[in-house]
Amino acid sequence: MNKPIGYWIKRLDAALEVQLDSTLARIKLTKRQWHTLGTLSEGALLPDQLEDILQPLWGGDVRLRERELAALVGRGMITMIDDRLALSERGREKYHEAQRMVEDARQDLSMGIGIDEYAMALSVLERMSLNAERLAR
């Protein structure tokens, strides 16, 4: 039986979430921590700036944000420099380790899919997303 595209998108999204979580868990990072390290890898930020950038990931859960940041600070991955949050050397190393693992997993996930096929899939999904958003207005 053929399934609609929405079925496959949701199934892929759920599988990608589980795969990313398990990849990062091997080095004792959560997805939110990984995104935080990645954001700070681009440069130090004021706490409010970091919160604004990561708000879509945090949602409105202030306790979750504080717990995740406290874990990174407690593990010596984030430090304060002139009122800005910054990656420590340990944080930078952990972020790069996670990046390598995530990239390896992405290569495994796209095994058997050609570059042209991947580009076409992205193009189709982007156009369908834009069409759906337009029609929803």
Side-chain angles (χ1 to χ4, degrees):
M1 178 178 203
N2 290 332
K3 305 278 191 225
I5 194 165
Y7 168 86
W8 291 112
I9 289 171
K10 287 179 181 181
R11 183 172 168 178
L12 175 61
D13 183 57
L16 290 173
E17 290 288 321
V18 169
Q19 187 276 327
L20 180 59
D21 287 341
S22 68
T23 297
L24 293 172
R26 293 195 324 246
I27 57 171
K28 297 180 173 52
L29 281 180
T30 67
K31 192 172 14 192
R32 287 179 177 94
Q33 291 170 348
W34 176 60
H35 285 294
T36 301
L37 294 176
T39 300
L40 292 174
S41 73
E42 297 174 14
L45 294 169
L46 293 169
D48 288 346
Q49 293 172 313
L50 181 65
E51 184 174 339
D52 288 345
I53 292 168
L54 295 177
Q55 201 285 327
L57 297 170
W58 299 118
D61 194 336
V62 175
R63 285 183 285 189
L64 173 64
R65 182 187 72 237
E66 289 173 355
R67 188 171 54 242
E68 295 283 23
L69 287 174
L72 292 171
V73 170
R75 292 170 61 194
M77 292 185 225
I78 293 178
T79 187
M80 290 291 280
I81 300 174
D82 298 327
D83 296 330
R84 294 179 180 270
L85 294 165
L87 284 186
S88 67
E89 187 57 37
R90 181 179 184 157
R92 191 165 304 286
E93 289 170 6
K94 183 64 88 170
Y95 174 68
H96 289 298
E97 178 184 8
Q99 277 298 99
R100 285 189 299 275
M101 293 175 70
V102 168
E103 187 54 39
D104 288 346
R106 284 181 180 152
Q107 287 179 5
D108 288 344
L109 288 166
S110 61
M111 192 179 316
I113 301 170
I115 294 170
D116 291 342
E117 289 176 294
Y118 185 81
M120 178 65 76
L122 290 180
S123 175
V124 168
L125 290 172
E126 178 183 16
R127 283 181 278 150
M128 287 184 79
S129 296
L130 294 172
N131 288 341
E133 290 166 358
R134 177 180 49 79
L135 292 169
R137 288 185 221 147

